[in-house]
Amino acid sequence: GNNSHIPHADPVHGGALAPQWQPQQFSNFQLHNNTTPQGYHNAQVAPGARIPPSGRKKALLIGCNYKGTSAELRGCINDVQAIQNLLTSEGFPISEITALTDDNRNMMPTRQNILRGMQWLVAGAQQGDVLFFHFSGHGSQEPDRTGMEEDGYNETICPSDFQQAGQIVDDEIWSNLVYPLPSGVKMIAIMDCCHSGTGLDLPFTWDMRRGIWSEDENPSHSAGDVQLFSGCQDDQTSSDGDVMLFKTGGAMTNAFIRAYQTQKGRPYPDFLHTLHTELKRKGFSQRPQLSSSQRFDVRQKTFTLCDGIVSNMNPQVG
């Protein structure tokens, strides 16, 4: 395949060919047009490789309350603050955390700023880096014109200007946030919004009841180690009692933080079980969902934010 679109000549080993990682300020970062290649191409696999963390950590946090609109929510900006506190306690430098909240005129979570933020987050990422992505706001669905989605819909997130600029579909999120990552880069994502079950278009979803990974019908594979914790299955609404525009005061965010504080370093099944218990204890019917870019051994793996990076196991990506 043609690898010209991959910024790393050797995505598995990085090495001298990888561009030097330079943290860039979000305010100076230019949005570029990301086109994803069509079809699959071969990728190097290194199952079971131990990837030492590089120590570099970066995060993009987005909270939309849509104040003064009919879509108004409460709690989304608080969610961002709570996650930021968790990340700084885990050694994420505040200078490497970009927070877009719609109470800050200079850092509004507009469609353009969110896409720019996604590109900023993954820019220059190298093996051993740890990234974090968090979205709290409205999610929705749009009809899928390509026929790739099993249910005929694309999951979307709603930026602060969605009524003028439109929503951001999961394919765009995948192309800007997931696909560009080289092997050995870890990203943990939390989507606290409705229809967020497959919100990053990741190919593997953990079936808690059966204890197996289920794979998408039309999987989008990538080389990075991306894991999404989301607040509900796609056909569920995040709980707020409302039918169409739905958002809890951060049910998933709060459950994640509480589970992390008590279960850090415990096996994934324990972490997921605690997440579920936390949601239930608060009266939410949502089930937490874990989806991933890599089919790792859930039972053997312990949950940490900054360690245990999985190298690429997908022989074909795209």
Side-chain angles (χ1 to χ4, degrees):
N2 166 21
N3 283 345
S4 59
H5 57 270
I6 299 182
H8 298 249
D10 179 353
V12 175
H13 303 106
L17 299 169
Q20 205 36 56
W21 189 81
Q22 282 297 330
Q24 222 182 330
Q25 280 190 307
F26 173 75
S27 53
N28 306 335
F29 190 84
Q30 297 296 311
L31 181 70
H32 54 266
N33 187 14
N34 253 1
T35 50
T36 312
Q38 294 306 304
Y40 290 117
H41 59 271
N42 294 334
Q44 287 176 292
V45 292
R50 295 278 310 142
I51 310 238
S54 65
R56 289 188 293 264
K57 299 171 182 159
K58 242 173 132 177
L60 172 65
L61 316 179
I62 302 161
C64 293
N65 277 343
Y66 315 97
K67 196 166 165 51
T69 72
S70 58
E72 184 165 343
L73 296 172
R74 293 175 303 284
C76 301
I77 293 168
N78 296 350
D79 290 353
V80 165
Q81 195 52 60
I83 292 288
Q84 183 162 304
N85 294 343
L86 175 74
L87 295 180
T88 50
S89 75
E90 288 295 323
F92 279 70
I94 199 80
S95 60
E96 292 297 303
I97 299 176
T98 292
L100 302 175
T101 53
D102 56 2
D103 61 345
N104 178 349
R105 201 161 291 162
N106 301 321
M107 297 290 273
M108 288 290 281
T110 59
R111 179 183 158 81
Q112 187 167 349
N113 270 351
I114 291 175
L115 289 171
R116 194 160 64 99
M118 289 174 177
Q119 293 177 1
W120 166 85
L121 183 61
V122 304
Q126 290 177 30
Q127 182 170 300
D129 292 358
V130 173
L131 311 178
F132 198 97
F133 172 76
H134 174 258
F135 175 80
S136 182
H138 282 309
S140 190
Q141 288 182 316
E142 283 184 352
D144 171 48
R145 313 251 181 266
T146 65
M148 289 292 279
E149 298 280 348
E150 289 174 48
D151 59 3
Y153 284 93
N154 279 314
E155 275 60 52
T156 67
I157 60 175
C158 298
S160 57
D161 59 352
F162 75 94
Q163 280 148 333
Q164 301 80 45
Q167 303 174 17
I168 300 176
V169 293
D170 51 5
D171 306 1
E172 289 178 279
I173 299 176
W174 187 84
S175 299
N176 285 288
L177 198 64
V178 178
Y179 181 72
L181 294 177
S183 175
V185 174
K186 176 171 180 167
M187 179 189 292
I188 297 246
I190 300 177
M191 294 181 81
D192 208 339
C193 59
C194 209
H195 295 299
S196 57
T198 55
L200 295 185
D201 241 356
L202 299 174
F204 303 109
T205 301
W206 182 247
D207 185 325
M208 272 172 86
R209 291 207 185 96
R210 289 158 64 209
I212 55 166
W213 287 110
S214 63
E215 187 174 3
D216 266 7
E217 261 180 29
N218 297 298
S220 302
H221 286 299
S222 54
D225 171 15
V226 182
Q227 298 160 37
L228 168 66
F229 292 89
S230 53
C232 58
Q233 267 60 30
D234 289 339
D235 52 3
Q236 281 180 279
T237 50
S238 270
S239 26
D240 210 15
D242 259 316
V243 187
M244 220 22 228
L245 283 169
F246 12 61
K247 172 65 184 61
T248 63
M252 189 65 204
T253 302
N254 297 330
F256 182 90
I257 291 169
R258 287 186 69 101
Y260 188 72
Q261 286 162 346
T262 59
Q263 300 296 324
K264 179 169 87 168
R266 311 257 317 137
Y268 265 71
D270 297 5
F271 184 76
L272 290 167
H273 178 73
T274 306
L275 262 185
H276 198 189
T277 312
E278 283 295 327
L279 285 166
K280 248 169 57 185
R281 203 170 61 81
K282 292 266 169 58
F284 296 116
S285 60
Q286 293 154 259
R287 287 196 304 282
Q289 183 164 302
L290 168 66
S291 45
S292 175
S293 58
Q294 305 291 339
R295 196 196 299 246
F296 62 88
D297 185 341
V298 172
R299 287 187 193 76
Q300 295 305 310
K301 195 169 161 58
T302 58
F303 183 77
T304 62
L305 278 189
C306 303
D307 217 329
I309 303 170
V310 179
S311 54
N312 183 39
M313 299 185 269
N314 300 313
Q316 293 200 302
V317 298

